[in-house]
């Protein structure tokens, strides 16, 4: 135990209160995990869908413990220098320029190039010293004089090689810089790793960490979160809205709405001065919570039922007819993918049957022979994949 920073919580309840005081609404399971992080020198791995409060929890932990937050945002292809340290090349260069004269003196009476190089070499340690070391978050958290919270965000995006480096560092809380020496920590940082599960993390990493699966919150907690954000939406409507969002999460959407979307929706409805949640007003604003075209149509189709489960509203045919099941095999928590911005697919989807009647297509220019009404392309589940794969065809055509 290494509580030199005085942020000692006596109980799980105290953690719940402290988090709430900083705007983070936690249940006991979540708070218990946080409590353990402050008591055991073990990193915490939080997994779960996007937008459920993983990153926010690390920030809240920094606030309640009064520690400085250091954040390592992971991405594909990232190498360890961005996590550990780099040499501050610019600074080295600046120093050599300013010190040109002095360096000149060192080599002034060297008889030949080789001995000049040797003399400079003997001074190398000056330039590869702590002064020129640019700490990145991992090393910084270990070197830091004051205790820190180290957030390693979206670790699933990092390559396995970096994951191995993280593992090594987290095991010992020390970093070796060959030219300088080994840094060890005075107060181990509280480490929080988050993952959106885009790939499996190594068993070794999981073994080393306390583990928390953070899913969408209970209705009660989600309502508390919405309330805590002072969205301006009356409580009764907020409660109803939370239920509707929960209903949307049960549809097989490509990207289920997260807590931040519930908050945004509440704010939007408040700004519009809505006093009653009707299927119409919710449908009109649905794009605040569902961001993919197909999802929007699915959401709108389900809206009457979500607003009033007993209503017998005829399902709009084409909404129920297709689009269902899309997203399988994509995984739940995809990041933006090119197929969704395929303009043709988007336009074709908008032009779904029923948007205009046949007469519209025929009478646009009655002087012309009637335009054959070609059947609209059906937007089927694999359409996105096909248009994405169409890149191949396009290449061949060039
Ligand atoms: N328990 C919570 N208490 C308060 N706000 C929350 C909570 N969980 C999520 N949020 C809100 O949801 C947003 C998204 O959370 P974030 O931590 O960014 O999600 P992710 O899990 O993707 O890291 C936050 O900015 C915050 O406003
Ligand atoms: Mg996040």
């Amino acid at each position: 135990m290494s509580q030199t920073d005085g942020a000692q919580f006596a109980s799980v309840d105290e953690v719940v209160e402290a988090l709430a005081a900083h705007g983070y609404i936690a249940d006991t399971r979540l708070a218990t995990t946080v409590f353990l992080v402050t008591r055991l020198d073990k990193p915490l791995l939080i997994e779960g869908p996007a937008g459920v409060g993983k990153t926010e929890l690390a920030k809240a932990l920094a606030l309640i413990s009064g520690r400085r937050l250091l954040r390592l945002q992971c991405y594909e292809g990232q190498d360890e220098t961005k996590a550990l340290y780099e040499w501050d090349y610019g600074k080295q260069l600046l120093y050599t320029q300013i010190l040109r004269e002095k360096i000149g003196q060192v080599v002034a009476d060297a008889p030949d190039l080789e001995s000049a190089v040797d003399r400079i070499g003997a001074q190398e340690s000056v330039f590869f010293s702590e002064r020129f070391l640019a700490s990145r978050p991992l090393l910084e958290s270990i070197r830091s004089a004051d205790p820190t919270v180290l957030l390693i965000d979206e670790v699933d995006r990092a390559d396995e090689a970096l994951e191995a480096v993280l593992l090594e560092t987290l095991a010992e809380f020390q970093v070796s810089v060959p030219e300088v020496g080994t840094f060890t920590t005075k107060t181990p940082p509280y480490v929080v790793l988050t993952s959106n599960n885009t790939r499996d993390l190594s068993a070794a990493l999981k073994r080393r960490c306390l583990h928390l699966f953070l899913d969408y919150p209970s209705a009660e907690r989600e309502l508390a979160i919405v309330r805590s954000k002072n969205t301006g939406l009356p409580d009764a409507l907020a409660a109803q809205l939370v239920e509707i969002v929960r209903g949307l999460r049960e549809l097989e959407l490509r990207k289920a709405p997260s807590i931040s979307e519930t908050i945004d929706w509440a704010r939007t409805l408040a700004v519009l001065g809505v006093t009653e949640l009707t299927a119409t007003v919710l449908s009109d604003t649905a794009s605040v919570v569902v961001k993919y075209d197909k999802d929007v149509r699915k959401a709108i189709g389900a809206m009457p039922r979500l607003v009033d489960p007993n209503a017998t509203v005829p399902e709009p045919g084409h909404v129920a007819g297709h689009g269902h099941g899309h997203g399988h095999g994509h995984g739940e928590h995809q990041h933006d993918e090119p197929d969704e911005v395929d303009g043709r697919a988007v336009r074709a989807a908008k032009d779904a049957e029923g948007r205009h009647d046949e007469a519209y297509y025929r009478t646009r220019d009655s002087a012309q022979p009637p335009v054959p009404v070609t059947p609209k392309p059906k937007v089927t589940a694999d359409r996105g994949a096909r248009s994405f794969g169409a890149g191949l065809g396009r290449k061949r055509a060039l």
Side-chain angles (χ1 to χ4, degrees):
M1 239 171 283
S2 49
Q3 248 58 39
T4 52
D5 53 330
Q8 183 73 277
F9 296 99
S11 66
V12 171
D13 286 344
E14 245 178 56
V15 174
V16 174
E17 279 166 33
L19 287 171
H22 287 90
Y24 194 92
I25 315 295
D27 56 14
T28 354
R29 186 178 69 103
L30 213 156
T32 304
T33 315
V34 172
F35 179 72
L36 291 176
V37 172
T38 65
R39 291 302 184 94
L40 310 167
D41 286 332
K42 265 190 152 206
L44 166 63
L45 170 63
I46 314 176
E47 295 189 271
V52 292
K54 301 185 296 297
T55 304
E56 198 71 14
L57 181 59
K59 293 183 186 166
L61 173 59
L63 289 173
I64 64 170
S65 60
R67 290 181 169 213
R68 184 158 65 102
L69 179 74
L70 296 168
R71 179 174 184 168
L72 176 68
Q73 179 66 50
C74 298
Y75 54 87
E76 213 181 312
Q78 184 174 31
D79 66 36
E80 62 179 64
T81 61
K82 293 282 180 285
L84 291 171
Y85 66 89
E86 291 172 281
W87 291 107
D88 190 340
Y89 176 66
K91 193 168 168 185
Q92 287 169 331
L93 206 63
L94 183 71
Y95 273 62
T96 51
Q97 273 170 2
I98 295 171
L99 299 172
R100 199 181 303 146
E101 240 173 68
K102 196 83 200 151
I103 295 166
Q105 285 168 18
V106 174
V107 293
D109 57 348
D112 52 29
L113 190 59
E114 198 181 340
S115 48
V117 169
D118 280 345
R119 284 192 197 181
I120 294 285
Q123 307 294 323
E124 233 167 43
S125 60
V126 175
F127 287 98
F128 290 92
S129 61
E130 236 181 302
R131 185 187 298 280
F132 296 101
L133 194 63
S135 297
R136 299 302 172 220
L138 269 186
L139 177 58
E140 182 63 25
S141 71
I142 285 168
R143 271 176 91 190
S144 174
D146 48 306
T148 59
V149 170
L150 173 63
L151 164 62
I152 302 175
D153 214 9
E154 304 188 349
V155 64
D156 52 328
R157 290 196 188 201
D159 302 330
E160 272 153 40
L162 183 64
E163 195 182 313
V165 172
L166 293 177
L167 200 63
E168 217 174 279
T169 314
L170 297 179
E172 302 176 348
F173 285 127
Q174 66 177 40
V175 172
S176 277
V177 180
E179 297 86 343
V180 179
T182 300
F183 293 96
T184 33
T185 182
K186 275 205 221 88
T187 312
Y190 297 153
V191 182
V192 177
L193 302 106
T194 79
S195 164
N196 287 348
N197 292 327
T198 56
R199 71 169 172 86
D200 278 337
L201 301 172
S202 73
L205 186 69
K206 290 195 173 181
R207 213 179 314 118
R208 186 156 304 285
C209 297
L210 291 168
H211 188 258
L212 178 69
F213 187 80
L214 208 50
D215 209 341
Y216 299 113
S218 64
E220 193 191 351
R221 191 159 72 90
E222 188 156 10
L223 180 58
I225 295 171
V226 173
R227 278 167 140 177
S228 76
K229 304 288 173 186
N230 300 319
T231 60
L233 193 70
D235 280 356
L237 295 191
Q240 213 186 332
L241 187 68
V242 164
E243 286 307 331
I244 288 163
V245 173
R246 290 169 67 80
L248 288 177
R249 284 182 193 139
E250 307 216 319
L251 303 178
E252 280 189 50
L253 297 179
R254 167 116 185 239
K255 166 74 179 71
S258 68
I259 301 177
S260 22
E261 270 115 18
T262 314
I263 298 167
D264 285 348
W265 210 2
R267 287 209 173 104
T268 306
L269 295 168
V271 164
L272 294 174
V274 166
T275 53
E276 193 192 341
L277 298 189
T278 62
T280 313
V281 74
L282 293 170
S283 298
D284 287 349
T285 51
S287 55
V288 173
V289 274
V290 276
K291 308 289 168 67
Y292 292 103
D293 192 51
K294 285 181 200 121
D295 285 358
V296 173
R297 283 182 289 124
K298 236 189 252 184
I300 291 176
M303 216 59 93
R305 184 173 52 77
L306 292 175
V307 172
D308 178 4
N310 302 319
T312 48
V313 188
E315 289 263 316
H318 71 279
V319 172
H322 53 242
H324 271 293
H326 178 70
H328 297 295
H330 276 291
E332 258 281 79
H333 319 298
Q334 282 295 318
H335 297 285
D336 300 343
E337 268 180 82
D339 69 328
E340 282 300 328
V341 289
D342 182 308
R344 286 166 307 155
V346 170
R347 279 192 299 278
K350 282 211 180 98
D351 257 351
E353 40 278 68
R355 186 155 176 250
H356 303 297
D357 60 19
E358 292 191 0
Y360 171 83
Y361 296 97
R362 283 204 211 93
T363 56
R364 259 188 303 191
D365 187 349
S366 45
Q368 297 289 318
V371 182
V373 182
T374 44
K376 294 281 154 301
K378 267 225 157 188
V379 182
T380 54
D382 61 338
R383 159 124 199 161
R386 264 191 283 123
S387 32
F388 186 31
L392 281 175
R394 252 177 262 138
K395 254 184 218 142
R396 249 183 273 129
L398 287 177

